[in-house]
């Protein structure tokens, strides 16, 4: 009887746990978005804003850096499914994810503040890049290498340079372009401009 009771009680606790975790992540992002740098950020401040105890945070994250990495990672959209039908289509899908992210004013603000302290927190940034940025780089590399193999792209193409041209052009618009939503056709225009120099 007791075993059954405890067995039914466990799942009931899970939503509360998820709710607390979401509140902690949101509190972390809110504090950074309000201008609090990573160095000023404290577990106490996060706990207070999230309405949880510090122990609730420490049960999930062993330190502030782990929490910030997880919080920043939630701002990155998941990798879009790539159909593999054409290099152009897959590159547009990857850039569309970047365009949508950049439309979130809060996300841009939080990322700018967090990244401004990259020199002071190299381990944090290294882990964030590995978790949130590297999968995108690998996906783009795979698409370009597949395009070389299929003949859609030049056989002598410098893959790293191709990646830099495509992602750099998109970053120019998302980071330094005018405020507001980016044009819906921006990913297509960036990809088409790059492919004009990368096609056989």
């Amino acid at each position: 009887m007791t075993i059954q009771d405890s067995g039914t009680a466990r799942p009931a606790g899970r939503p509360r746990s998820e709710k607390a975790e979401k509140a902690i992540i949101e509190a972390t992002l809110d504090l950074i978005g309000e201008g609090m740098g990573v160095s000023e950020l404290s577990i106490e401040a996060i706990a207070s804003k999230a309405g949880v105890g510090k122990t609730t945070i420490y049960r999930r994250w062993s330190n502030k850096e782990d929490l910030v990495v997880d919080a920043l990672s939630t701002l990155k959209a998941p990798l879009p499914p790539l159909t593999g039908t054409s290099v152009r289509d897959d590159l547009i899908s990857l850039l569309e994810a970047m365009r949508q992210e950049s439309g979130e004013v809060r996300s841009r603000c939080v990322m700018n503040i967090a990244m401004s302290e990259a020199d002071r927190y190299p381990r944090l940034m290294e882990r964030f890049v590995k978790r949130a940025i590297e999968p995108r780089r690998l996906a783009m590399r795979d698409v370009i290498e597949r395009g070389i193999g299929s003949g859609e792209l030049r056989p002598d193409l410098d893959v790293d340079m191709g990646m830099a041209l495509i992602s750099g052009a998109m970053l120019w618009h998302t980071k330094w372009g005018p405020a507001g939503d980016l044009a819906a056709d921006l990913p297509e225009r960036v990809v088409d401009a790059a492919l004009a120099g990368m096609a056989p």
Side-chain angles (χ1 to χ4, degrees):
M1 186 74 176
T2 9
I3 295 170
Q4 284 180 342
D5 288 346
S6 66
T8 52
R10 271 183 201 152
R14 187 168 292 179
R16 285 196 296 275
S17 170
E18 288 170 5
K19 188 178 177 183
E21 193 164 307
K22 190 174 190 309
I24 293 163
I25 292 286
E26 287 300 311
T28 304
L29 295 174
D30 284 344
L31 288 169
I32 296 173
E34 289 163 13
M36 189 178 282
V38 177
S39 51
E40 302 165 283
L41 197 62
S42 68
I43 294 295
E44 289 80 4
I46 295 166
S48 173
K49 190 163 186 72
V52 299
K54 287 194 296 181
T55 53
T56 304
I57 295 178
Y58 282 120
R59 272 200 298 269
R60 293 163 174 77
W61 294 277
S62 57
N63 55 56
K64 178 175 74 173
E65 286 191 3
D66 289 344
L67 171 51
V68 171
V69 168
D70 281 354
L72 294 178
S73 297
T74 66
L75 298 176
K76 307 300 282 180
L79 268 173
L82 303 177
T83 61
T85 50
S86 78
V87 168
R88 180 180 183 271
D89 289 348
D90 283 350
L91 289 175
I92 288 171
S93 294
L94 288 171
L95 296 195
E96 175 58 21
M98 289 176 69
R99 187 190 75 84
Q100 288 179 4
E101 283 167 15
S102 72
E104 298 283 334
V105 178
R106 175 183 182 237
S107 296
R108 285 176 80 166
C109 176
V110 168
M111 291 302 296
N112 287 340
I113 292 168
M115 292 304 167
S116 70
E117 293 190 273
D119 291 344
R120 295 181 67 182
Y121 293 90
R123 182 175 164 271
L124 185 154
M125 292 307 148
E126 183 185 316
R127 290 178 57 213
F128 172 69
V129 166
K130 186 173 183 180
R131 177 167 171 184
I133 308 297
E134 199 56 36
R136 291 154 179 259
R137 284 184 186 155
L138 290 172
M140 186 175 287
R141 177 177 291 279
D142 287 347
V143 170
I144 292 175
E145 287 177 346
R146 193 186 74 229
I148 293 170
S150 67
E152 292 171 81
L153 302 177
R154 291 199 334 252
D156 63 339
L157 179 65
D158 180 330
V159 175
D160 288 323
M161 185 60 73
M163 290 169 64
L165 286 169
I166 295 166
S167 54
M170 198 66 188
L171 281 171
W172 189 88
H173 287 280
T174 58
K175 297 288 183 191
W176 298 288
D181 291 341
L182 295 171
D185 67 341
L186 180 62
E188 292 180 32
R189 288 190 286 124
V190 169
V191 169
D192 288 341
L195 290 182
M198 293 163 65

